Amino acid sequence: MMVSKLSITLLALAALTTVAQAQEKAADIIARGEYLARAGDCTACHTAPEGRLFAGGRAMPTPFGTLYTSNITPDPETGIGKWSADDFYKTMHSGRFPDGGLIYPAMPFASYTKVTRADSDAIFAYLRSIAPVNQKNKPHELRFPYDNRQLILGWRTLFFSEGEFKPDPKKSAEWNRGAYLVEGLGHCGMCHSPINALGGTSQSDAFKGGLIPMQNWYAPSLTSNREAGLGDWSIKDITDLLQTGVSMRGVVYGPMAEVVHNSLQYLNDEDTKAMAVYLKGIAEPSPPPAPSSALPTTESSLLISLGKTVYDKNCASCHGTQGEGKPPHWPPLANNQSIEMQSAVNPIRMVLNGGYPPGTKGNPMPYGMPPFAGLLSDNEVAAVVSYIRTAWGNRGTPVSARDANELRSAPLN
């Protein structure tokens, strides 16, 4: 009898241990899913301003009309409460709803298709663990004929290749981890690749930069060292920028500040360094320098003279009389890739709208730049931007008052 009672006790303890281990494993998967959801920046699209986490409803203006993001909380009526892990993976991997319906490519399934099944399952487990929100999805407001989902079939034929990430055996494990994060979950190519009239981009143009539709911010090339290519940056400067939003070489503003705030600052040191190694590795040989000026000499001279006056009065106290800046908080303007690159959209918008780098755990009290739209005329904005793009050895091109005027009405968000 004593032996029998002991056996029952041991079996009960074993069962409790198994349950505890299962709970611990499930908790680990959920924690990993939360980390991966941050890496994928799911919050940015699926949480509306002033809205509930992941309840969707965020408007996404596109050249074809406005899309509204979906509710991905586990609410059974309006969210993904009735989905299985298979359904979720199908959406991530194939760009199709569980019923086979086509998803508009504003959802970056062309990148998420590279996400592994294990990572997809972890993200799904995390989303199933959060509080459900009963909030119906808003119908999209797309113009004819873009409201016909069957057109997505043509888009998919041209621009979508289904398949998980394949490591490059010639590269290190660290490089491949960075490639997986940048090309897959991070979906960096969605902004940093040129988008054509059909809303697609070719693989050969990946990461070569482009204007973000409707937002009027230029996402610079990640392959050209004359834009945001990081070939001549140190790994520390790259990781600083990704984790904190500031570095000794530059500062992030605009949409990239949101990415750092919502996503990149939460990545661990190993993954951040892996991304830095990959981003540094995809830099290509720099093209010849751009011409220093495109304006007639007299006109250019007057423009630059006015620009120096505006700069000395409004900018030099922070950025230095020689554009040397006070890094990491006030970026240098001399020899700054983002100032010299062919597109002048970003420096014009910074002068007009100002801005802040993101508040991050590594830089909780960022220093900002005030807006000058109400203080400077279009001529003065054009002059000061032309000055900083051509002074101190910079080889950018001057901009016109028309360029400045066109960006005055650009949306701030």
Side-chain angles (χ1 to χ4, degrees), residues 45-48 51-58 69-72 135 137:
C45 290
H46 289 281
T47 304
R52 302 279 297 277
L53 181 67
F54 296 136
R58 177 165 185 167
T69 58
S70 59
N71 182 346
I72 57 172
Q135 177 176 297
N137 293 320

Side-chain angles (χ1 to χ4, degrees), residues 3 17 26 37 61 73 93 130 141 149 161 180 191 203 210 247 263 297 307 347 353 381 391 395 409:
V3 172
T17 301
T73 72
H93 188 71
I130 65 175
E141 297 172 356
R149 284 185 184 268
S161 297
Y180 174 71
C191 289
Q203 187 59 39
S247 78
S263 172
T297 303
N353 307 131
V381 172
R395 299 187 64 84
S409 59

